[in-house]
Structure formats: structure tokens, C-alpha cells
Amino acid sequence: MSGPAEEHGEPGFSETGGLDAHLARLLTRLSGDADPLLGLAARLVCAATGQGHVCVSLPDAASDLLGRAGGAAAGLLPPASAWCEALRRHPVVGRPGEFAPLILDDAGRLYLHRYWAYEHALALDLQARVADDPADVDPQRLRAGLDRLFPATAGAADRQRLAAAVAALKRFTVISGGPGTGKTTTVVRILALLLEGADTPLRMALAAPTGKAAVRMQEALRASRAALPVEPRIRDAIPVEATTIHRLLGVRPGSLAFRHDGDEPLPVDVLVVDEASMVDLALMAKLVRAVPRAARLILLGDKDQLASVEAGAVLGDICGEAPGFSAGFRRRVSEATGRDPAEADGAAPRGGSADGPPIRDAVVELTRSYRFDRDSGIGRLANLVNLGDGPAALELLAGGAYADVAWRSLESPRDLPPRLAEKADRLGAYLAAGTPEAALAALDRFRVLCAHRTGPYGVEALNEHVATCLESRGAMRPRHPWYHGRPVLVTANDHSLRLFNGDLGVTLRDPMADDGLRVFFRAADGRPRRLPPTRLPEHETAFAATVHKSQGSEAEEIVLILPGQASPVTTRELIYTAVTRGRARVEVWGTRPVFEAAVGRRLARSSGLRDALWGGR
């Protein structure tokens, strides 16, 4: 099969080969029955996991297949209910809880067994955590801490304060919010609040899915910690060193298991995980299982961003529709904060009844952006994209009323070279920098993002166009594989070199190097580190990058280049993620139909996690 859908487009399944076809043949042999319906189901579920789905919905698949094939398939494919019944007769298909290669639940969702096991284990773990609140929270002590760390502004309750109260009252909390909503500021104050309320020292840890996200997390925490209105002993107890989730759990070479699990849990009392939208189902299940049941687990992320490249959209499933707190928990929050949660930033929680799943009390969304004014172009554009209003979003981009957003029509790949030439000064600014520090800073100020890796509008083509553009201006002489000015993006972790997936570096002439070239990366303390090109882990040229690769990073100016035709990759979440990478300016290049279709298409990943947590099954 093809690679992940987000990078290459939606994979199908071939008629003659591929992992899905091999699995279908294997299961047919194990079943002892050459049933074409079993083979088709097996190929569908395998292809679905390659696209990032956890399972395949057979009712949806049947409808889709009939819709594409028309009346010709009507006699070949039975109704979904009959298809499910036929599959249940095969020994390779089991019900939830049984041990079989394929698991088919009552809703017609078909899983590879290990994905069902991950989803089931994660749902059980989260349900247990949200139902088991700490019993040692002193409401008066908590309110005093909230008043000092989250003073009321303009007489209104604050959703950051609300999130802190929930994190103190619950063992599991999700804090979702877009860029600039203060997630890091909130969590560092939450850690201070928990430390002040504890009778004994707390073991705290910080983690993120990628090395770059971990570095950004610790940089932000260091800055926020310094301004805390707390005693020095509390400030010093707040950790600022973050690590990757894999390193935290302890990688075992050659194994899918980690050193820390349910039998050997992590030695933590509080764990904060940033950029949780990037965490796939398998990793989240293993992480949650490894956190002691009595510890607090706090997930930070943006539920509206792109989901992980691997299977699952875990953060979105956990957040659900967030209908608001239950009546009982709402009273507890009011007692702790002195305010009704409905007052927070004017975003009143819906509901308030005693009914509803416990997960509803664990989710808080931060809605106020401190980076983008409500009337800024980027802020308004992001909001329109999230609402799915493509025509209005395009009108805002193209209308010229906002200096921080712009639309450029891109009708043909032939338009790319001259259009990029107009940006040559921005693209090559890092080459004119006098020091490695300045070069790395310039690279971070301007980024070109694409939806796809391949194709005329993909990363590979854009890398060639930009290199040619800069060469024509005499700024560089591209010579493969290494040359002065080559930007590189690390694509695999190397803990020994302290390089991680997502790290951006630049190749520069170095008089101290025997062969003349070194690749410079920014270290955790902000200073550049130099490495010989031959020592780098897996990497790629990075004049441009996919939107997925940009997650966990930002730039002053973003140019998003859309493909010539709509694809399963171009979704609302992709546009939103790209737009919110820009701090000061965003340009979108493409065609009106592709942009509007993308904004109108939500990323839908099949799974049963949302139903398991929110009561849909």
C-alpha cells in the first residue's frame, strides 16, 4: 500500500498485491473458506489503517462501494447487516473481547485485532481515571491559589482559571485551544497550584510526541515559570526539561513494547503531554496505561488541528462535542472558583444535567487568543475555516481588508517558478545572515508548506523550484547531496545526537571543518550546534515541508501551496493547521474550487473511541 494518507493521498488497494491483498489471502486460508466477502472486508480494514483509520465501518463501506459501482454491484454485495452476519460465521472474525485476527463489533466496525485492543484498553483506562477524582483537594486552599495565580480580569471568569480548577479536581484533564490561547501559561500555573496544594513533594514530568515539540514546550515553560507569583521553592520545583513520549516510556530496541507499562508504571505524580493531537492511538494507549492510576495526567493540544499520521484521531475523540460539565461537577467547580463556569469568557457550557458520560467533566477548551486579535486576518480566517465556511474564508483572503492574510491564484504548475521568484528575498534571507544563529532564525521566519509530498505542487517539486530560484540569483550552487545553504529537516530521532524528528537545520560553510561544511541546529539553550553531514540521522531537504511536518512549529510568515485538484488530504484540518502556523502573515496559493472544497471537507477517521467515551455504543 501507499504511505500515510496525509503525506501521499488516499491509498486504495490493488488488485494483485499489497499488504491488504496478502492479508486477505492469509485470512481466507486460515478460515478454510474462499469467501470473497471475507477477502473484501480484510482488504478494506487493512487499507483503512493505512489511511489513519482505526477500523472500517462496513455499513459506510458498503454504501460507498455501491455508490461507486452503481447497479452493477447491487447483486454482488449484500446489505451491510447480511455482510456482517456472513463475516461472523468465519473463525477469523471475533466479537469484542474474543481473540481473533479480525474483530467485528455490534455497530458494524471491523478492526484488526491489535487496533481494537488499543482502543478498548485506552477507553477503559480513561473511563477509570475520569471516574476516580482525588479526595484530598481542599476547596478553600484551592480557591486561594486560583485567586493568586489566575486573578479575575474585568470581572469575568477566565477559562484558564477554569482549566486550572478542573486539573486540580480531576486525575485526567484535557486542555484544548488554538495557538496563542495560553495553554503553556496555564499549565505552568497549574503545576504551581498543585505543588502548593500538596503536603509532600510531587514528581512531575513533561513530554511531547516529537523532539521539536518537546524543545518548544520547555522553552515556553522556562519563560512562563520565571514570571510566576510564587515562592522560590515552588518555582524551582516546576520542571522545565521536556522529553519525547518514546524516551519517557523507555524504548526497547526491536520491540513494540516500552520499559514502562501497567506493570512498571512511570515514577510520576503529574504528567503533562503537549501537542496531544499528534499522538496516535497505539502510543496514547501505551502512555495512559503507564501513568499510575493515582497520578494526574494533563493533555494539551488543539483538537481542530490535523490528527496523527498514524492510526487514530485520539484528541478529537476524547474531546467529543464537549457538551459541558455535569451538574454535580459544575457545583464543585463553582465552589472552588467562586464563579459559575458558564461565565468563563462568555462561552457557557451547554447542558449542566446530571446525565452524561464522566469524560465531559475532564475537557476544557480555551477560546480566547492572546496572539491573534479577534479582528486580525489570521484569527478571523482560522475561525471561518473551523466553521467550514469556504466562500467566506476565501473572500477574507482575497478581499484585501487585512494586511496579514492574502490569496494568490495558482492555475498551473508553470506559475510556480515566477511566483517563487517574487519571494526570493524572503526565501534566501537565511543565506545572507552573517552567523549560524542568524541563519537559523531567518529560516524560522519564513516557511513554505504543501499538502502533498509528491506531484507538481508537492514538497519534492517545490524543493527543486526554490533551489533553482536561489541558484539563478547566485545565492547558492546546489550540488547533491550536500551544499552550502541546504536546509534539512530531521525525520527520525537520534537521542545520542540530541536530534529529533522535526528539527530544522541549515548547511553552511564552516572554516573549522576539514571538508568545509557543517549542518547547524539550534540547541535547547538557543545556541547553534554543528554536526558533520555524514552523522545526521534520516533527513530531507526542507526548502518546503508538508503541513503535517510543520505541526509543533511556527513561523512569522507562511505560504501554503495547495494542489491543483482536491484530494482526501486537503481538508479543513489541514488548512486550519497551516494557517495557524503563521504568527504575522499567511498567504494561500491555489484555486478557488480546491480551497473551498478543502474547507468544506472534515477529516473523518473511523474509530469507536468517541462512542466508547461519550456513550454512543
Side-chain angles (χ1 to χ4, degrees), residues 150-327:
F150 298 89
T153 56
D158 182 349
R159 292 193 74 81
Q160 293 184 357
R161 176 187 174 101
L162 176 64
V166 173
L169 294 169
K170 305 291 293 184
R171 296 196 193 279
F172 175 69
T173 309
V174 177
I175 303 174
S176 175
T181 52
K183 294 187 294 292
T184 304
T185 301
T186 301
V187 82
V188 76
R189 292 173 181 258
I190 288 173
L191 297 179
L193 187 70
L194 296 176
L195 285 164
E196 288 182 340
D199 295 325
T200 58
L202 295 177
R203 299 167 298 172
M204 295 179 164
L206 312 171
T210 68
K212 184 163 189 176
V215 169
R216 289 188 64 246
M217 182 186 192
Q218 63 190 28
E219 289 173 348
L221 282 169
R222 281 197 181 100
S224 297
R225 188 179 76 163
L228 280 178
V230 296
E231 297 177 14
R233 67 178 182 84
I234 297 295
R235 185 181 299 111
D236 294 343
I238 297 173
V240 291
E241 295 297 325
T243 186
T244 63
I245 296 173
H246 285 81
R247 193 168 191 180
L248 176 76
L249 292 176
V251 174
R252 287 179 170 172
S255 173
L256 293 176
F258 291 101
R259 183 166 63 87
H260 290 290
D261 55 18
D263 295 325
E264 189 178 344
L266 290 162
V268 297
D269 300 304
V270 181
L271 173 62
V272 179
V273 179
D274 199 10
E275 297 289 355
S277 65
M278 300 169 64
V279 184
D280 63 86
L281 172 66
L283 184 57
M284 187 67 82
K286 294 172 183 178
L287 174 66
V288 174
R289 176 57 57 90
V291 177
R293 187 61 56 85
R296 283 181 172 86
L297 173 61
I298 303 171
L299 302 184
L300 308 178
D302 185 347
K303 65 179 179 60
D304 296 315
Q305 275 195 39
L306 282 167
S308 63
V309 172
E310 302 299 330
V314 179
L315 186 66
D317 285 342
I318 292 174
C319 290
E321 297 303 322
F325 300 142
S326 64

